[in-house]
Amino acid sequence: MSNATLNNWTPSSWRKKQVLQQPTYPDQDKLQDAVSRLGQLPPLVTSWEIESLKDQLAEAARGKAFLLQAGDCSESLDDCEPDALVRNLKVLMQMSFVLIYGSLSKVIRVGRIAGQYAKPRSNDKETRDGLTLDVYRGDLVNRSPFTEGDRIPDPELLLRGYERAALTLNFIRGLTAGGFADMHHPENWDLDFASDSPRADQYHEMVNSITSSLRFMEAVMGASIRQSDSVEVFTSHEALHLEYEQAQTRRVPRRDGWYNMSTHLPWLGYRTRDVNGAHVEYLKGICNPVGIKVGPKFDPDELVNLIKVLNPNSEPGRITLIHRYGADEVADKLPIIIDAVQTAELDVLHCCDPMHGNTFSTKTGIKTRSFDKISSELESQFKIHESKGTILGGVHLELTGDNVTECIGGVGNLGEPDLERAYKSAVDPRLNYEQAMEMAFSIADHMKSKRND
Ligand code: PEP
Ligand code: CO
């Protein structure tokens, strides 16, 4: 049985299941009207791209490529402007360059972008100074300022989110198709404010060496190396808001099955992982590759069962496990999960999310993460896979090309007092440019040392 022919599955069969983490809209007619307009609009991605990503993720699972999945915790509608998008794309390009240099293998670039507008939350309500309002669930649902008007879920935001996703994707596609992404001109991706960052010299030396090699090869071959002037960037977001996902779920000509056309790689969040719940029901029937966030409370049998439900035919590239235990729990939890997956002979890509298990609040109530803990979890995940002879084939990071101060530590040695200075995230704290590059260099070092073993 393929995903395409699951009995009794339809894009709306999730409605018969328990559905967590959805907003309560005050007016159901307005919601249905917005959803039906969304369902008429063109897809954002194509089934060719989705299938190509699935093939590439299958390669990463075999150690032939490396997945770099990164971007905002939560995109905001206001940040859909050229400078912010270019900065984020530049970081993704620079990091992927560093990883290619370290791994000498293909890097699959996937942004948390063009649709990462809905957030799971621990509570439905938030109270401040005696006033209780709906919690902020991301710009696809409501707005973050603490006023009654902003917090009421507004179905029109589903359309605003889709439109911003389309504008974002259009700009990314234009930039990456040529010119900007040309490997002969990596100076296009330099960020002005970062020229004196500690890693800048190392980065530029590496870039010079790559571009000289490229030009040397081209001189020898007497032709330009194909595809070195364009790159692929795929999109991903948490498949959380099921009305939004359903409205963009379509059949395509000449292929079996259903595709979620709002993104290449939807993922199942940690809070909505119940195998009998609505989110799993929805993801079960689509042909896209699917990520699963795996955290410390995941029972190994529960995970094995979930993977079988989501990938009944063991299709390569279909499942990416995004492991996020936290630096203090990873050594206890990850080995058991790897063993369970191996014993059940399941074909998955293992990817490390060192962000979501390492969030804490400062004494003054600011949500942050420490660079040391993030590095430590990543390091542990690399080592655990090495000791088991399995492959860590990707990373999943929350970061921005903006010069924010949201995570402490790293090259700039940010401390808790620095967090007040440039904290912009409405949800989780992100690595800033310098911290992200530091992370890329340390991942590349791991890969290099593995190559030299
Ligand atoms: C996220 O990726 O922003 C997120 C909420 O992650 P998780 O489901 O792993 O907590
Ligand atoms: Co997050």
Side-chain angles (χ1 to χ4, degrees), residues 304-343:
V304 164
N305 184 28
L306 175 62
I307 297 170
K308 288 181 178 167
V309 165
L310 287 175
N311 194 19
N313 293 328
S314 309
E315 189 186 4
R318 161 79 170 161
I319 303 287
T320 297
L321 299 183
I322 308 170
H323 299 279
R324 34 85 84 221
Y325 306 96
D328 301 334
E329 298 212 52
V330 62
D332 280 344
K333 307 286 176 179
L334 177 60
I336 303 169
I337 294 286
I338 295 177
D339 288 346
V341 168
Q342 294 276 99
T343 309

Side-chain angles (χ1 to χ4, degrees), residues 22-28 31 140-141 152-156 158 241 243:
Q22 305 302 290
T24 309
Y25 288 95
D27 186 330
Q28 287 301 310
L31 171 66
L140 199 62
V141 174
I152 294 173
D154 176 2
E156 287 302 310
L158 293 167
H241 196 302
E243 297 278 5

Side-chain angles (χ1 to χ4, degrees), residues 185-202:
H185 293 286
E187 69 276 7
N188 288 343
W189 323 325
D190 272 350
L191 282 154
D192 298 339
F193 68 82
S195 56
D196 52 16
S197 102
R199 286 294 202 174
D201 286 349
Q202 192 181 354

